[in-house]
Amino acid sequence: MVQCPSCARSQQPRLVCSQCGAPLAVDLDFFAALDLPRVLQTDNATLEANYYDLGRRIHPDRFATAPSEIRDASLRATALLTRAYRTLRDPVSRGLYWLELHDHKLAEDNKQVPPDLAELVFEVQEELSELRALRQHSSDEARQGLLKLRSRRANLQGLLDELYAELFQNFAAFDAGGGRDREQLFAELKTILSKIAYLKSLVRDVDNELR
Amino acid sequence: MAYSSKVIDHYTNPRNVGSFPKNEANVGTGVVGAPECGDVMKLQLKINPENGIIEDARFKTFGCGSAIASSSYVTELVKGKRIEEAIAIKNTSIVKELNLPPVKIHCSVLAEDAIKAAIADWRKRREQASAVVEKKAEEA
């Protein structure tokens, strides 16, 4: 329970006092900060609506002349709200936050790049370095290589889309609760998020070359 | 973030970059990754089976400057060392040499893991090879 410094009402911690609407300087997890249920299948419309609604109510401009304690609470609550929103609106950062929230570390026991993915990374990087060499002479071969890289890019996007689909399946399994072993779901989540990270970093290099 | 001059040196002028030919004997390959940032590092060590000394090393790293510098530095560091000495290399000595900032410490951990993975792979290959030899001897 926390006490509102404005009206002294004691209440469950939230970013806004349920009685007088003053901002509260409280430590909340990102789901609680946004007034969302602690589930992975976030409803984006509610996420957006709560973010804008809460943001308006605790906005520092509204408390510019308030006592310093309340002004400070408004700044802190706004900072927390913004971080929560940025983290939860993206499924990958939401998944990473989920691990953090449950004391699971992404990198722990997780240094092995899945062999097929490692092979893909080295293959595409090899193509990239060949293409860079060819482009110094702006030859026909370089044009060919560029075309090949474009189709490669589409291919990688397909893989990335598949991984996102796996991620959402994992989210759904978490939210369904029961049934499957949660530890197994955490391990699976770590694997999916790692694959996405390796693939995204490869896609970034490809996009740099296509630009 | 500013890179130290040693990181920049290794990054702009990486040592021992590349791979050994596919069927080169006595080579162990370690591929490790940092899932936080998506960096992938491949380290290959050529180890003399007679005396266990690392004779040569190659690396390919796709990632930030610190990851490239860490692996480049490691290839220089392990050459001439015995397996046991190489396994004992700690990431902290990489951090110290390259002056890595706290946010880049995981790059040095990656390089340390790559050494261990490459040596483990070399050992596995040797065991497999000797198993084949034994099997052939039995058959003969």
Side-chain angles (χ1 to χ4, degrees):
Chain A
M1 298 293 263
V2 292
Q3 197 178 33
C4 172
S6 278
C7 68
R9 180 178 175 111
S10 180
Q11 57 198 291
Q12 289 295 328
R14 295 180 64 220
L15 287 186
V16 183
C17 171
S18 58
Q19 181 163 281
C20 72
L24 300 175
V26 286
D27 255 342
L28 293 172
D29 72 69
F30 290 168
F31 293 98
L34 277 158
D35 226 346
L36 292 170
R38 210 192 250 215
V39 294
L40 275 165
Q41 291 167 298
T42 309
D43 174 34
N44 284 325
T46 315
L47 174 82
E48 295 280 324
N50 290 8
Y51 169 64
Y52 287 110
D53 176 52
L54 286 163
R56 255 193 309 274
R57 284 156 69 186
I58 61 178
H59 200 285
D61 284 356
R62 298 186 53 181
F63 304 96
T65 57
S68 69
E69 191 184 3
I70 293 168
R71 226 165 50 219
D72 183 55
S74 136
L75 286 170
R76 286 179 53 183
T78 300
L80 173 59
L81 182 71
T82 308
R83 260 189 302 137
Y85 172 68
R86 287 192 181 148
T87 304
L88 296 190
R89 78 175 156 175
D90 173 63
V92 169
S93 59
R94 187 161 72 236
L96 289 169
Y97 180 68
W98 190 257
L99 291 178
E100 191 186 314
L101 203 56
H102 297 89
D103 286 323
H104 281 263
K105 292 197 176 68
L106 180 68
E108 205 165 52
D109 299 323
N110 187 20
K111 292 290 165 59
Q112 229 56 46
V113 186
D116 49 338
L117 191 54
E119 202 171 304
L120 178 71
V121 167
F122 289 114
E123 192 181 317
V124 176
Q125 292 287 2
E126 193 65 34
E127 289 171 13
L128 283 177
S129 73
E130 276 167 23
L131 183 60
R132 274 182 215 118
L134 287 172
R135 288 180 104 172
Q136 306 206 322
H137 316 286
S138 71
S139 62
D140 273 352
E141 278 176 276
R143 262 189 295 278
Q144 289 286 326
L146 209 55
L147 281 176
K148 196 174 151 202
L149 191 62
R150 288 227 170 80
S151 81
R152 182 60 105 168
R153 175 66 177 83
N155 213 286
L156 293 176
Q157 189 59 50
L159 288 177
L160 210 45
D161 292 345
E162 280 171 29
L163 283 171
Y164 271 88
E166 280 182 40
L167 182 66
F168 289 123
Q169 274 172 23
N170 175 271
F171 285 0
F174 262 115
D175 290 350
R180 292 184 55 191
D181 180 8
R182 262 171 89 82
E183 284 312 306
Q184 195 191 326
L185 287 178
F186 278 116
E188 191 181 288
L189 178 57
K190 276 166 70 163
T191 304
I192 299 168
L193 290 172
S194 306
K195 284 184 182 172
I196 290 178
Y198 295 129
L199 210 50
K200 272 193 166 172
S201 116
L202 184 61
V203 164
R204 195 180 50 225
D205 288 349
V206 170
D207 284 347
N208 275 336
E209 200 57 36
L210 288 174
R211 200 169 294 128
Chain B
M1 189 199 61
Y3 283 124
S4 72
S5 57
K6 278 180 179 163
V7 169
I8 292 170
D9 176 37
H10 276 281
Y11 177 70
T12 51
N13 177 26
R15 333 288 203 261
N16 309 306
V17 68
S19 329
F20 290 117
K22 250 208 172 115
N23 295 318
E24 180 109 8
N26 304 325
V27 170
T29 303
V31 177
V32 291
E36 308 98 322
C37 56
D39 289 2
V40 176
M41 184 180 287
K42 178 165 93 174
L43 179 69
Q44 292 188 304
L45 301 177
K46 195 175 176 193
I47 303 173
N48 185 329
E50 304 295 323
N51 54 16
I53 285 178
I54 298 170
E55 293 180 330
D56 206 355
R58 293 278 185 281
F59 84 94
K60 264 189 188 177
T61 294
F62 303 107
C64 68
S66 299
I68 291 168
S70 294
S71 34
S72 168
Y73 170 60
V74 151
T75 57
E76 287 199 314
L77 192 63
V78 296
K79 265 198 225 178
K81 283 200 162 60
R82 285 184 303 117
I83 293 177
E84 299 75 32
E85 295 173 295
I87 286 181
I89 291 171
K90 287 272 164 295
N91 79 297
T92 44
S93 52
I94 304 168
V95 172
K96 226 172 168 182
E97 167 70 18
L98 298 176
N99 248 321
L100 296 179
V103 293
K104 292 295 178 182
I105 284 176
H106 70 271
C107 301
S108 67
V109 176
L110 199 58
E112 180 192 322
D113 291 338
I115 300 174
K116 294 186 166 74
I119 291 175
D121 180 62
W122 179 80
R123 284 184 168 149
K124 201 177 87 192
R125 277 167 197 280
R126 282 203 69 201
E127 274 165 29
Q128 281 168 353
S130 61
V132 169
V133 171
E134 273 167 33
K135 206 174 167 211
K136 275 187 183 155
E138 272 171 32
E139 282 167 4

